[in-house]
């Protein structure tokens, strides 16, 4: 809704039959232009169910943004209707002010918020956090 240019690609996408609502995809890449520069998300494979509008990725998901944000998670479920994503296979990453890790991450894509759940740890670098 923000009018940002984006691109979604898959190296391969297969729908077993016309009656099967699941599209199996490989070599997934999502790119979007953010206000602070480009961001990219990569996953080796995933499934998209066009009836439920849900994406499931069992392997690793790597996210990198130009402004210093990055993370790796796995077992990701994205509900495109509710615009929520859950990574239940652990998460680790970096922000400009430090690093983080947790057992799970829950993202509200509409509100652009994330919550770290279970054994959440954040290591801050003194002087790096900028509060407006």
């Amino acid at each position: 809704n923000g009018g940002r240019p984006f691109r979604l690609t898959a190296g391969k996408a297969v729908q077993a039959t016309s009656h099967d609502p699941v599209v199996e995809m490989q070599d997934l890449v999502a790119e979007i232009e953010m206000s602070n520069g480009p961001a990219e998300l990569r996953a080796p494979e995933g499934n998209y169910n066009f009836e439920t509008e849900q994406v499931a990725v069992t392997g690793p998901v790597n996210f990198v943004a130009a402004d210093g944000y990055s993370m790796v998670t796995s077992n990701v479920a994205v509900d495109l209707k509710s615009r929520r994503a859950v990574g239940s296979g652990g998460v680790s990453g970096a922000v400009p002010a430090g690093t983080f890790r947790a057992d799970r991450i829950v993202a509200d894509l509409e509100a652009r918020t994330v919550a770290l759940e279970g054994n959440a740890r954040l290591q801050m670098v003194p002087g790096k956090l900028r509060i407006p």
Side-chain angles (χ1 to χ4, degrees):
N1 291 342
R4 294 183 195 99
F6 69 93
R7 178 176 32 201
L8 301 170
T9 59
K12 181 178 180 181
V14 176
Q15 181 180 3
T17 70
S18 61
H19 302 294
D20 185 358
V22 176
V23 178
E24 298 175 359
M25 303 172 292
Q26 294 178 345
D27 301 322
L28 302 169
V29 179
E31 300 166 309
I32 188 166
E33 189 63 38
M34 304 296 286
S35 58
N36 294 334
E40 180 181 89
L41 186 138
R42 289 184 171 270
E45 60 187 16
N47 295 324
Y48 171 61
N49 184 317
F50 56 81
E51 284 183 352
T52 63
E53 293 187 42
Q54 294 185 344
V55 178
V57 179
T58 55
V61 175
N62 295 292
F63 172 80
V64 177
D67 57 0
Y69 288 81
S70 64
M71 77 172 144
V72 177
T73 188
S74 62
N75 298 335
V76 176
V78 181
D79 186 321
L80 298 173
K81 288 180 186 177
S82 69
R83 298 187 184 212
R84 282 179 48 97
V86 176
S88 61
V91 61
S92 64
V95 296
T99 59
F100 64 90
R101 68 173 191 221
D103 293 340
R104 162 182 155 108
I105 187 168
V106 178
D108 182 326
L109 305 175
E110 188 73 26
R112 298 187 63 200
T113 61
V114 296
L116 301 174
E117 298 180 348
N119 297 309
R121 302 286 185 260
L122 177 63
Q123 182 175 4
M124 303 294 287
V125 177
K128 291 286 186 174
L129 183 63
R130 294 185 200 135
I131 300 174

